[in-house]
Amino acid sequence: MKKMVVLTGAGISAESGISTFRDSGGLWEGHDVMEVASPEGWRKNSELVLNFYNQRRKKALEVKPNNAHLILAEMEKYFDVTIITQNVDDLHEQGGSSKVIHLHGELFKSRSTLDPELVYDIEGWEIKLGDKCEKGSQLRPHIVWFGEMVPMMELAVEETLTAEIFLVVGTSLQVYPAAGLLDYVEKDVPKFVVDPNMPTMIPLDNLFLIKEKATEGMEQVKKQLLENYL
Ligand code: APR
């Protein structure tokens, strides 16, 4: 089986009802991103940050994977698929994908503020002030905030270096280091980009642009893959 690596962003969850970042004018539920997604914001007002992610978690519990998530899961019948996602929702897992690398963390997990190795599943939708880890420190969202390290990047680069097919679905490619993954794709590897608005920075070699929403665009990609790349 050929190795397929897929980089996804907020656009793949848009048709499930989760708004993207840049389509919402750069504000997140009316908040400045540094207020609710940075260590400074956490230090300034932890309760505001906890509530911001509680609201996103509550919303994420109400939505379902869409056709694009389902097609990517179906591709596991034909290819060795690794999903590298910038999304913190669990729609890839719900859709049936079995190998998902979350570059920016996971909405349904919490983490100790004392020991980052202590990560917990969140039952329900809330982390509250006073919720503590086993070492007695406040729990925080298991999310990579702006200015923080991206621990899964090394694994993502390793996977990308050995990709034989590379897909980019629903990301503006404006946030690094995630967007930098494209630099690690071999020149002769076919690259499929699915996005109704073409991202500014896209690879030039062996490129197939599908200017469609993910649910439709992934149907076209599936057809091409099964016809020409098995
Ligand atoms: N189908 C496919 N793509 C879509 C759809 C859709 N239905 N709707 C929008 N898009 C595209 C947009 O054209 C855009 O290129 O999805 C992309 C969304 O881009 P962003 O909102 O910038 O989201 P993303 O690229 O995932 O952002 C990366 O930035 O804000 C941080 O940490 C956050 O993980 C996020 C990162």
Side-chain angles (χ1 to χ4, degrees):
M1 279 178 153
K2 284 199 172 76
K3 186 176 176 64
M4 175 193 293
V5 177
V6 189
L7 173 63
T8 67
I12 198 169
S13 297
E15 290 161 89
S16 293
I18 296 183
S19 60
T20 65
F21 297 96
R22 272 126 205 117
D23 297 347
S24 55
L27 282 184
W28 287 8
E29 325 291 336
H31 292 291
D32 173 312
V33 67
M34 297 313 276
E35 248 186 333
V36 292
S38 75
E40 297 70 28
W42 172 255
R43 273 193 288 279
K44 216 165 109 203
N45 188 340
S46 308
E47 194 159 17
L48 173 71
V49 175
L50 288 175
N51 290 338
F52 172 73
Y53 284 96
N54 289 345
Q55 289 311 314
R56 288 180 71 193
R57 208 168 290 117
K58 198 173 178 189
K59 168 80 185 164
L61 282 172
E62 295 156 10
V63 300
K64 290 277 167 269
N66 62 56
N67 189 41
H69 296 105
L70 300 179
I71 290 175
L72 286 176
E74 185 194 350
M75 286 300 105
E76 295 190 5
K77 286 192 289 198
Y78 310 102
F79 302 98
D80 168 17
V81 182
T82 299
I83 309 277
I84 300 170
T85 187
Q86 299 169 85
N87 300 338
V88 295
D89 62 54
D90 61 351
L91 292 177
H92 281 300
E93 290 87 346
Q94 282 192 52
S97 288
S98 58
K99 192 173 173 190
V100 184
I101 297 172
H102 284 271
L103 284 182
H104 295 163
E106 298 181 63
L107 196 51
F108 289 98
K109 290 191 175 154
S110 65
R111 187 168 86 218
S112 161
T113 45
L114 187 67
D115 175 356
E117 297 301 310
L118 296 179
V119 177
Y120 307 89
D121 288 332
I122 297 171
E123 303 307 323
W125 59 282
E126 285 180 298
I127 304 177
K128 295 192 286 293
L129 271 186
D131 290 351
K132 299 221 185 310
C133 76
E134 60 211 69
K135 294 185 176 174
S137 81
Q138 173 69 44
L139 291 177
R140 59 163 274 184
H142 184 47
I143 300 285
V144 176
W145 286 332
F146 285 93
E148 292 189 315
M149 296 293 289
V150 181
M152 302 304 275
M153 191 61 195
E154 199 178 323
L155 176 60
V157 169
E158 260 171 55
E159 291 292 325
T160 303
L161 284 169
T162 54
E164 295 170 274
I165 302 167
F166 197 81
L167 274 57
V168 178
V169 187
T171 173
S172 61
L173 294 172
Q174 286 179 20
V175 172
Y176 285 78
L181 280 172
L182 286 185
D183 300 337
Y184 294 97
V185 185
E186 295 291 336
K187 272 169 89 80
D188 62 349
V189 167
K191 303 161 195 73
F192 296 84
V193 176
V194 178
D195 193 314
N197 319 297
M198 276 304 131
T200 42
M201 192 281 289
I202 40 177
L204 300 176
D205 308 291
N206 218 343
L207 178 65
F208 301 90
L209 295 180
I210 292 106
K211 214 166 152 50
E212 297 280 357
K213 292 187 168 189
T215 52
E216 170 48 37
M218 281 309 299
E219 289 289 356
Q220 294 179 27
V221 171
K222 172 182 163 184
K223 190 168 176 310
Q224 284 196 46
L225 289 173
L226 298 190
E227 278 169 10
N228 310 320
Y229 290 92
L230 282 184

